[in-house]
Amino acid sequence: MKLIKTQLENIPEHLAIITDGNGRWATRRGLPRSIGHKVGARAIKTITEACANSGVKILTWYVFSIENWKRDKAEVDYLMNLFIKFIRDWREEIYRKGICFRHLGIKSGLPTELIDEIEITEEKTKYNNKMIVNIVLNYSGKAEIVNATHSIVRDVQMNKLRMDDINEITFNNYLYTAGQRDPDFLIRSSGEVRISNFLLWQLSKTQIYTTSVLWPDFTCEHLFEAFEKYKPFIEVYKG
Ligand code: IPE
Ligand code: IPE
Ligand code: MG
């Protein structure tokens, strides 16, 4: 039976996805890894549309970690060019669909052309409110926390923040995800069961789902299968 979205009881408000397995998908077919990335990028567009139609409010894609710079230069160059083209080609469509585009990570170090595409898209879609799509690119969870700490210390030194006011809520305001709820559900494809330096602070209470499906093979059916396993986390206070 084909599952349709209305049959699902619970849809995560904030869904985060680690798109893993592009390289293996290509290698198994005797293709260069780059083809896996290209097909994987198409799946990101398809799944974004399905999420928007299902009522997901925030969708966060992990597409390039700080650690990924250690890969072959040719693969990294291919990925950077793919991101440039991907964001440029997608801009009009996400704008029309009411999606607000955000980049999470470090802009410095990225090709200027990519920074331009990111900034133009962020600016163009900033008043859209159907869904937020975060593209997590050149990102490290540890670096994000250190960066937040620097900003907090600076604000304390400048008397903009009192030490007594530093708590989990104010700390949130210094993260790239400031103003956004934490992910409710995390999907990682390709069978790996690792966080890989992704949203270390924000995932503290997130339900984690892994599937052996390699990212380029991931379809809407796989998404709905994952949603079936999602159980909203409800805090129970005793005493
Ligand atoms: C995920 O697929 C995409 C990126 C990290 C950019 P991989 O490239 O990690 O694919 P595998 O894990 O080698 O199969
Ligand atoms: C995680 O995949 C990062 C992204 C999908 C961007 P990796 O393939 O880079 O992670 P590891 O190296 O297996 O932990
Ligand atoms: Mg991988």
Side-chain angles (χ1 to χ4, degrees):
M1 188 189 64
K2 207 170 164 202
L3 200 70
I4 56 159
K5 61 176 196 271
T6 47
Q7 290 172 291
L8 296 167
E9 254 178 57
N10 295 307
I11 299 288
E13 210 172 307
H14 183 169
L15 169 65
I17 304 185
I18 303 178
T19 61
D20 200 10
N22 291 350
R24 275 164 283 168
W25 182 91
T27 307
R28 280 179 202 173
R29 286 167 173 72
L31 299 167
R33 291 173 60 86
S34 55
I35 304 295
H37 294 312
K38 195 173 167 183
V39 179
R42 257 184 247 151
I44 291 181
K45 288 188 182 173
T46 309
I47 299 303
T48 299
E49 182 159 8
C51 286
N53 293 338
S54 303
V56 170
K57 290 291 166 207
I58 308 176
L59 176 58
T60 300
W61 293 104
Y62 196 18
V63 299
F64 194 86
S65 69
I66 276 193
E67 289 78 13
N68 290 148
W69 290 107
K70 293 185 198 132
R71 294 186 179 198
D72 268 8
K73 187 178 179 311
E75 182 173 350
V76 171
D77 288 349
Y78 180 88
L79 280 167
M80 292 301 145
N81 286 318
L82 180 69
F83 296 142
I84 291 168
K85 196 173 165 337
F86 177 79
I87 296 171
R88 185 187 296 147
D89 293 349
W90 206 24
R91 182 157 50 235
E92 205 46 49
E93 187 185 330
I94 58 173
Y95 174 68
R96 272 190 282 104
K97 288 197 168 124
I99 293 170
C100 170
F101 176 93
R102 299 279 308 272
H103 167 243
L104 311 185
I106 303 161
K107 287 207 174 73
S108 144
L110 292 174
T112 323
E113 219 184 330
L114 178 52
I115 299 174
D116 289 347
E117 295 302 338
I118 288 172
E119 288 179 348
I120 295 168
T121 313
E122 284 183 327
E123 182 60 29
K124 186 174 172 83
T125 63
K126 69 179 177 192
Y127 297 118
N128 278 353
N129 56 16
K130 183 174 161 71
M131 176 167 79
I132 295 173
V133 166
N134 295 311
I135 297 290
V136 186
L137 200 166
N138 199 19
Y139 173 88
S140 148
K142 285 193 175 182
E144 180 182 28
I145 293 169
V146 171
N147 177 58
T149 310
H150 285 176
S151 305
I152 288 171
V153 171
R154 212 171 299 125
D155 279 358
V156 171
Q157 284 171 340
M158 293 168 73
N159 295 319
K160 288 188 186 165
L161 183 71
R162 292 184 319 137
M163 201 157 95
D164 288 348
D165 290 334
I166 302 171
N167 53 43
E168 290 178 15
I169 295 165
T170 47
F171 200 92
N172 268 326
N173 299 333
Y174 290 85
L175 297 169
Y176 301 128
T177 47
Q180 300 183 10
R181 69 186 275 119
D182 287 344
D184 301 289
F185 196 48
L186 168 70
I187 297 176
R188 181 166 187 156
S189 57
S190 90
E192 305 299 344
V193 190
R194 275 195 295 281
I195 293 293
S196 298
N197 208 0
F198 185 43
L199 302 178
L200 296 181
W201 173 280
Q202 296 90 334
L203 292 175
S204 65
K205 291 178 181 168
T206 306
Q207 182 183 339
I208 301 178
Y209 174 92
T210 58
T211 168
S212 58
V213 175
L214 300 176
W215 179 253
D217 283 332
F218 196 93
T219 62
C220 297
E221 276 69 33
H222 296 122
L223 177 73
F224 296 138
E225 244 172 66
F227 283 170
E228 276 193 284
K229 293 278 184 281
Y230 171 61
K231 288 191 188 67
F233 176 77
I234 297 160
E235 294 213 47
V236 180
Y237 295 98
K238 289 195 183 120

